[in-house]
């Protein structure tokens, strides 16, 4: 099992602190990759004074820079589990420059595009299904895996075209227990070969999650 690692990509900037959480199969215990997390997301940034001028406003470049930070942290920590789930700004999916910018950024590291799974929130796909599919296709063509974060909402329709392009779906185990709609989405995803992983899961939940279509968990709890 991959251990939790913490790496400070820049000692001056808190938002550059990257930590990795293990993603594991709840029944077999095998590694399914890891999830990268940082303190500040693109949509949550607040800057005052001179820092406001330096704040990155281009979501494509911001995500590209994040991939470089994650790659640097993974190398420094010796964190080898792949793929790495990387949260991505909603605006980055709509930006036509995202695929090119991220591709160029990764080429400057020792990693390759297939080692990253860009995780966009469910709300990102609220627009026209065909439009969302074409945007995801651009990233897949560049070599990246793409996933959907459904921990806050689960309204993405998972159109036929999108099902062929999505690699991973991230859900909340607590929400899964109470929502039949989410359970249906998860079962459809599993039937399409999409990996579904859950937050807030315990090792003892393995059988239940497997029955509902969830293959793995992110940093599962060990109940006393």
């Amino acid at each position: 099992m991959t251990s939790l690692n913490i790496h400070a990509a820049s000692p001056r900037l808190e938002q550059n602190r990257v930590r990795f959480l293990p993603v594991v199969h709840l029944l077999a215990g095998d590694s399914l990759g890891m999830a990268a997390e940082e303190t500040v997301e693109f949509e949550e940034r607040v800057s005052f004074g001179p820092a406001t001028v330096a704040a990155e406003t281009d979501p494509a470049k911001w995500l590209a820079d994040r991939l470089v930070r994650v790659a640097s942290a993974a190398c420094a920590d010796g964190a080898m589990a792949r793929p790495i789930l990387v949260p991505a700004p909603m605006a980055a999916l709509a930006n036509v420059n995202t695929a090119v910018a991220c591709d160029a950024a990764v080429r400057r590291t020792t990693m390759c595009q297939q080692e990253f799974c860009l995780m966009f929130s469910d709300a990102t796909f609220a627009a026209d299904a065909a439009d969302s599919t074409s945007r995801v296709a651009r990233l897949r063509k560049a070599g990246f895996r793409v996933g959907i974060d459904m921990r806050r909402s689960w309204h993405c329709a998972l159109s036929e075209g999108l099902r062929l392009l999505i690699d991973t779906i991230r859900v909340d185990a607590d929400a899964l227990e109470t929502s039949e709609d989410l359970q249906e989405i998860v079962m459809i995803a599993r039937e399409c070969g999409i990996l579904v992983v859950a937050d807030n899961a315990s090792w003892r939940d393995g059988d239940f999650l497997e029955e509902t279509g969830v293959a793995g968990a992110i940093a599962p709890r060990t109940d006393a």
Side-chain angles (χ1 to χ4, degrees), residues 85-99:
L85 309 186
V86 181
M90 293 176 58
L93 188 62
N95 193 305
V96 296
N97 297 318
T98 296

Side-chain angles (χ1 to χ4, degrees), residues 42-72:
F42 179 81
E43 297 89 349
E44 300 170 340
R45 296 168 307 150
V46 177
S47 299
F48 300 95
T52 304
V53 179
E56 181 55 63
T57 59
D58 182 346
K61 185 178 185 304
W62 190 89
L63 179 56
D65 291 342
R66 164 169 279 186
L67 294 182
V68 173
R69 293 195 298 272
V70 170
S72 176

Side-chain angles (χ1 to χ4, degrees), residues 74-207:
C75 179
D77 291 345
M80 302 301 294
R82 300 289 187 273
I84 303 177
L85 309 186
V86 181
M90 293 176 58
L93 188 62
N95 193 305
V96 296
N97 297 318
T98 296
V100 174
C102 289
D103 176 66
V106 171
R107 290 177 183 274
R108 297 195 299 271
T109 73
T110 59
M111 295 178 60
C112 62
Q113 293 80 355
Q114 292 85 352
E115 295 180 86
F116 295 98
C117 182
L118 306 181
M119 301 295 297
F120 295 94
S121 69
D122 171 76
T124 309
F125 301 87
D128 180 77
D131 190 33
S132 296
T133 300
S134 65
R135 294 172 179 177
V136 172
R138 286 200 297 263
L139 291 169
R140 291 301 301 260
K141 186 176 181 180
F144 293 100
R145 303 170 190 245
V146 178
I148 304 176
D149 186 342
M150 293 188 174
R151 287 177 295 169
R152 293 188 178 181
S153 67
W154 41 90
H155 301 297
C156 180
L158 280 184
S159 64
E160 183 175 352
L162 199 57
R163 296 175 194 176
L164 300 175
L165 298 172
I166 294 300
D167 180 86
T168 302
I169 288 179
R170 186 173 181 177
V171 301
D172 186 288
D174 295 332
L176 187 64
E177 290 190 42
T178 59
S179 173
E180 293 184 1
D181 290 340
L182 182 57
Q183 290 178 18
E184 181 179 358
I185 292 175
V186 168
M187 289 301 294
I188 291 174
R190 182 173 73 171
E191 292 172 0
C192 295
I194 298 172
L195 173 66
V196 182
V197 297
D199 283 61
N200 299 318
S202 299
W203 284 101
R204 68 178 181 180
D205 297 332
D207 290 332

